[in-house]
Amino acid sequence: MVRQQSVLTEINPGECDGLTPDQIKAKFPEEYKRVQMDPYRHRYPRAESYHDLAIRLEACILELEREKNDVLIIAHETVLRCLYAYLFDRPESEIPGIAIPRNYLIEIVPSAYGCKEARLEIDLDEVEDNGALRVDGDDGFI
């Protein structure tokens, strides 16, 4: 079953939408300084903070904890950082800096004392023009 959940949308960038870090620094110099001091709680003008995003994800996290089957989550990096931090009990101050590489599938398996993780690298050279991943020496796609 495939479900799309609006709570999994990326963090709202507000007035910084589409701007590069250099453009943000030039347009909002005071805001840029504030985000350096507290990247977890800072909000750019008309934007959302990581804290706001974490609160938005609470209901989804509770639903995930009740799930008995495997779940594949495809989401923006900001959302994945928050979910990863929750599952691995990372402090909120670390969330903005958690590295979520784009060319990896991260498998997280709950265990009695936390979670275990395994990473599978996806060779982006093997991705076809239509976005499907070619399986080694196979004509099938996944």
Side-chain angles (χ1 to χ4, degrees):
M1 172 175 35
V2 176
R3 287 188 292 174
Q4 183 176 3
Q5 294 193 355
S6 61
V7 297
L8 294 177
T9 58
E10 71 176 295
I11 199 167
N12 179 355
E15 293 180 19
C16 295
D17 190 20
L19 300 179
T20 67
D22 288 336
Q23 290 171 325
I24 293 170
K25 190 174 183 179
K27 188 173 181 176
F28 303 104
E30 291 302 315
E31 295 293 330
Y32 189 82
K33 289 177 189 173
R34 287 189 198 114
V35 78
Q36 303 306 311
M37 294 186 300
D38 188 3
Y40 179 75
R41 295 191 186 282
H42 180 268
R43 285 186 197 106
Y44 281 106
R46 303 178 60 87
E48 207 175 19
S49 69
Y50 273 98
H51 178 74
D52 299 328
L53 176 59
I55 290 170
R56 177 166 38 107
L57 291 174
E58 283 179 1
C60 182
I61 289 170
L62 292 174
E63 189 175 333
L64 282 173
E65 287 183 334
R66 289 191 300 268
E67 185 60 51
K68 303 260 189 266
N69 298 310
D70 293 341
V71 176
L72 174 65
I73 298 173
I74 300 171
H76 191 269
E77 187 176 16
T78 55
V79 171
L80 296 175
R81 285 178 180 150
C82 287
L83 293 173
Y84 186 94
Y86 173 80
L87 293 168
F88 287 98
D89 198 26
R90 303 276 292 272
E92 61 187 33
S93 61
E94 290 182 12
I95 293 174
I98 294 174
I100 306 289
R102 288 178 174 239
N103 60 327
Y104 279 82
L105 178 66
I106 303 172
E107 178 185 22
I108 300 174
V109 180
S111 65
Y113 300 103
C115 291
K116 295 179 183 177
E117 131 182 34
R119 293 182 180 221
L120 173 67
E121 185 173 9
I122 299 169
D123 185 357
L124 297 179
D125 293 334
E126 294 295 320
V127 176
E128 299 291 320
D129 290 337
N130 65 0
L133 180 64
R134 182 171 291 286
V135 179
D136 289 342
D138 190 50
D139 289 335
F141 295 94
I142 57 172

